[in-house]
Amino acid sequence: MSARRHPALRALSLATVVVALATGCSSANSGANKGGGAASGVLTLGKPDGPQTNNSNPFLSTSAGATLGYRFMIYEPLAMTNQIRPADKADPWLASDWKWELNFTKVTFTLDDKAKWADGKPLTAEDVAYTFELLKKHPALNGNGIPFDGIGVQGKKVVLTFQDSQYVNQNKIIQQFIVPKHIWKDVKDPETWPNRTPVGSGPYKLKTFTPQTTTLTATPTYWKGATKVKELRYTAYNDNSAATTALAGGKVEWSFVFMPNYKQLFISKDPKNHKLWFPSGLGIHGLWFNTARKPFDNPALRKAMAMVVDRNAIYTQAEATLYPEITNPTGIPLPAGESFLAPEYKSATTKPDVEGAKKVLADAGFKLAGGVLKDPSGKPVKLTFTDPAGWNDYITGLSIIKDNIKQLGIEAKVKTQTAEAWGADVANGNFDATLHWTNSGATPYDMYQNIMDGALLQPIGKASQIGNFGRFKNTEATEALKDFASATDDTARINAMNTLQKIMVEQAPMIPTAAAPIGAEYSTKNWVGWPTEVDPYAPPQHTQPSALEIVLKLKPAKK
């Protein structure tokens, strides 16, 4: 499947994650990325998302600006967070300082006096307040669902207040990009406005747009100073094959493409310069059970299946070692989430334990006879795995899991669908089990909340758009999520997080299969200064807010 899927992507936009995976490159990409390189100040980027519509509305996840990632080169955040090092303090950006008070129900931003818009007008507290008012007034623009209450201006400061603690949302709030009030105040419908001549405070402005190629050029008067990269060229390739070919041939210098044979297809074409790094944040991919269907409502069955899944095989065969391996049964990716692990799980592993799983089943009344597992009522345990056709990493993963659970006497088959049909079935609860991703955030809360929150629970047949697709009903989990979000001290948060981990391991509402990477392929032939495992100052993916920080750190390679 395309590497376009990302942990932060919400199910609400399932239809937007589809990309054609047919081989070859059509004439739609002809003429793309001519020229380029550090000598001309050009950095070339590409993604396998097909032709784009001219839409640079930064609030819309379906816009070209969001899909290709260039919205973050035009619009800047109040502070720059690091998703792969969520515990690190954010870097000041448009805000020179911010202070949380009253158990994260109040935050005060102090703006940088130097900040200004690309059209020369000063960026003020009024702009910041106006941006948050937009989010409050238009839920369709408020992708993170932040429950804003009071929004006020005090000189050069902006004060936000909330009815409840925003501990779990703090990074989402401080990294919010800001739009200019003097332009957006005249927009009749900001939820549909295509914003074709975007004006931001960032170092780049839109130069040209076509369905295949979007070009941004550096703003000479950028308030943080001159940039080394003078032009950004984004190409929308029709499929993974075309994007991979462009990367291998040097036409694209920065991308995010899933390629199973990356060593042969990419690295070997220029071993000195072709690099990739796929670190994880705190989101995962996993096998979601429909816990509203029998026998998958039985936690012993789910736990036993989780105990036999070979995560290392999924890591090496399905994810081609690109998506980091899940090594802890809590599902918390390491090292990003190491500080959150409960003491009882710090040394736990995901090594398959077939005999242990058989005992769990036997103790719960399941019987293995003639190689067939029967539930406590005497019915054979059968299930169907579903995922979109062409999402090869998921389909391979399902095949591995199918073989793993056969050791327990469970018969499974794999059914493929169109992405659109699959998305509807997942939302409506019309499935047995499916590989799907989770949300991610500064703590494992976002991941667990996406999987287990009773507040998101919908009956079968009614679409669940933002989580709990498995219809997991557990009062203890819902209360622990509330406790973590509203806790007034670290001890209460730790206790709540430990409870969530225990529920995840013991009741297995989903089986974590891989960490969700925030990765990228890139070339050091023309540009150096990329984030690496040695210098992890930002996740390398160019569709993230921190992509701006990367571009500003790039320098021409010495020839």
Side-chain angles (χ1 to χ4, degrees):
M1 98 173 256
S2 164
R4 189 179 169 197
R5 190 180 69 239
H6 181 265
L9 198 62
R10 292 186 177 271
L12 186 62
S13 54
L14 280 171
T16 71
V17 305
V18 187
V19 293
L21 291 175
T23 59
C25 175
S26 82
S27 60
N29 297 319
S30 62
N33 291 329
K34 292 180 179 178
S40 60
V42 175
L43 174 65
T44 56
L45 306 87
K47 281 190 75 213
D49 294 306
Q52 297 294 303
T53 300
N54 191 353
N55 189 319
S56 296
N57 188 322
F59 296 104
L60 304 181
S61 63
T62 55
S63 70
T67 299
L68 298 177
Y70 68 80
R71 60 176 168 173
F72 296 123
M73 301 299 162
I74 296 173
Y75 297 98
E76 297 183 291
L78 290 164
M80 191 72 75
T81 63
N82 185 347
Q83 293 182 66
I84 58 175
R85 296 292 184 273
D88 290 358
K89 180 175 173 55
D91 293 331
W93 212 265
L94 292 177
S96 58
D97 186 47
W98 58 95
K99 182 181 179 182
W100 286 96
E101 301 174 80
L102 305 174
N103 189 32
F104 294 91
T105 59
K106 179 181 178 181
V107 61
T108 302
F109 293 101
T110 302
L111 298 189
D112 193 314
D113 291 333
K114 301 186 297 296
K116 65 178 180 178
W117 300 108
D119 60 9
K121 290 182 170 59
L123 192 154
T124 69
E126 294 288 346
D127 293 304
V128 177
Y130 176 78
T131 300
F132 286 117
E133 289 284 4
L134 267 180
L135 297 175
K136 181 180 179 181
K137 184 178 179 181
H138 298 277
L141 304 182
N142 188 3
N144 289 318
I146 306 298
F148 296 103
D149 188 22
I151 302 171
V153 174
Q154 298 176 1
K156 295 181 180 180
K157 299 179 185 292
V158 177
V159 181
L160 305 180
T161 57
F162 306 88
Q163 292 289 333
D164 301 304
S165 172
Q166 296 303 300
Y167 175 82
V168 297
N169 292 323
Q170 56 181 304
N171 277 13
K172 298 171 186 176
I173 293 168
I174 67 174
Q175 73 175 5
Q176 175 59 47
F177 58 78
I178 305 302
V179 299
K181 179 180 180 179
H182 65 276
I183 292 175
W184 283 75
K185 66 180 177 62
D186 296 323
V187 176
K188 291 183 179 180
D189 186 0
E191 296 181 15
T192 60
W193 187 44
N195 188 30
R196 290 178 179 145
T197 54
V199 175
S201 60
Y204 297 94
K205 59 183 179 181
L206 185 62
K207 181 181 179 182
T208 59
F209 184 97
T210 71
Q212 289 75 40
T213 305
T214 301
T215 302
L216 272 60
T217 187
T219 302
T221 57
Y222 178 48
W223 66 278
K224 277 182 170 284
T227 58
K228 300 291 185 181
V229 179
K230 302 302 180 186
E231 188 169 286
L232 299 168
R233 294 180 189 168
Y234 295 80
T235 297
Y237 290 91
N238 285 340
D239 49 57
N240 280 13
S241 177
T244 298
T245 299
L247 268 168
K251 288 185 177 181
V252 168
E253 300 167 285
W254 191 8
S255 187
F256 176 34
V257 182
F258 181 79
M259 53 177 90
N261 301 316
Y262 68 89
K263 292 179 181 178
Q264 176 186 350
L265 296 175
F266 177 59
I267 301 294
S268 68
K269 305 304 180 184
D270 186 353
K272 178 182 177 182
N273 295 302
H274 284 182
K275 312 289 183 182
L276 56 78
W277 185 39
F278 277 62
S280 70
L282 292 177
I284 59 175
H285 300 269
L287 186 74
W288 296 60
F289 292 102
N290 186 344
T291 65
R293 282 187 178 178
K294 290 185 177 298
F296 316 113
D297 60 339
N298 192 316
L301 175 62
R302 302 192 303 262
K303 180 181 179 180
M305 290 174 65
M307 291 172 67
V308 300
V309 169
D310 190 341
R311 273 77 162 195
N312 185 259
I314 291 174
Y315 168 65
T316 56
Q317 298 172 35
E319 307 299 356
T321 72
L322 285 176
Y323 288 18
E325 184 179 359
I326 286 291
T327 58
N328 191 282
T330 63
I332 295 177
L334 305 176
E338 192 166 7
S339 63
F340 297 101
L341 282 180
E344 64 182 301
Y345 298 121
K346 283 191 180 294
S347 59
T349 72
T350 53
K351 184 178 179 180
D353 181 7
V354 176
E355 292 308 311
K358 288 181 177 179
K359 185 177 186 308
V360 168
L361 290 169
D363 290 346
F366 288 81
K367 290 182 170 42
L368 184 61
V372 176
L373 182 70
K374 295 185 178 181
D375 67 22
S377 71
K379 294 181 180 179
V381 177
K382 300 179 180 180
L383 76 160
T384 299
F385 294 142
T386 53
D387 267 301
W391 288 13
N392 296 332
D393 56 332
Y394 271 12
I395 300 304
T396 302
L398 291 177
S399 178
I400 292 169
I401 297 171
K402 175 184 174 181
D403 290 342
N404 295 155
I405 63 175
K406 191 174 183 179
Q407 299 173 93
L408 300 178
I410 300 173
E411 180 184 339
K413 62 181 180 180
V414 177
K415 170 188 169 185
T416 59
Q417 303 174 269
T418 65
E420 184 177 6
W422 171 76
D425 281 350
V426 169
N428 289 304
N430 184 27
F431 66 95
D432 288 342
T434 182
L435 280 174
H436 196 287
W437 59 96
T438 71
N439 289 340
S440 65
T443 74
Y445 168 88
D446 294 79
M447 174 182 83
Y448 287 145
Q449 190 255 356
N450 197 219
I451 299 168
M452 298 190 278
D453 194 354
L456 305 178
L457 184 63
Q458 298 290 349
I460 295 291
K462 184 175 181 180
S464 176
Q465 298 287 12
I466 58 176
N468 200 348
F469 308 116
R471 271 66 184 176
F472 185 63
K473 188 176 182 180
N474 184 288
T475 301
E476 187 181 15
T478 301
E479 290 303 314
L481 287 163
K482 289 180 182 177
D483 291 345
F484 185 87
S486 62
T488 58
D489 58 68
D490 288 341
T491 299
R493 289 190 191 99
I494 290 170
N495 289 337
M497 182 54 63
N498 291 353
T499 296
L500 291 168
Q501 292 174 55
K502 188 173 182 62
I503 293 171
M504 187 70 173
V505 174
E506 295 297 324
Q507 301 199 30
M510 69 98 82
I511 301 175
T513 56
I518 317 172
E521 298 91 359
Y522 60 89
S523 172
T524 59
K525 181 177 181 180
N526 297 314
W527 299 100
V528 296
W530 304 93
T532 64
E533 192 169 1
V534 176
D535 184 18
Y537 67 85
Q541 195 176 117
H542 68 75
T543 57
Q544 301 305 304
S546 49
L548 172 59
E549 189 173 16
I550 296 173
V551 169
L552 294 180
K553 284 182 179 288
L554 293 182
K555 297 178 180 179
K558 293 181 180 179
K559 301 298 184 180

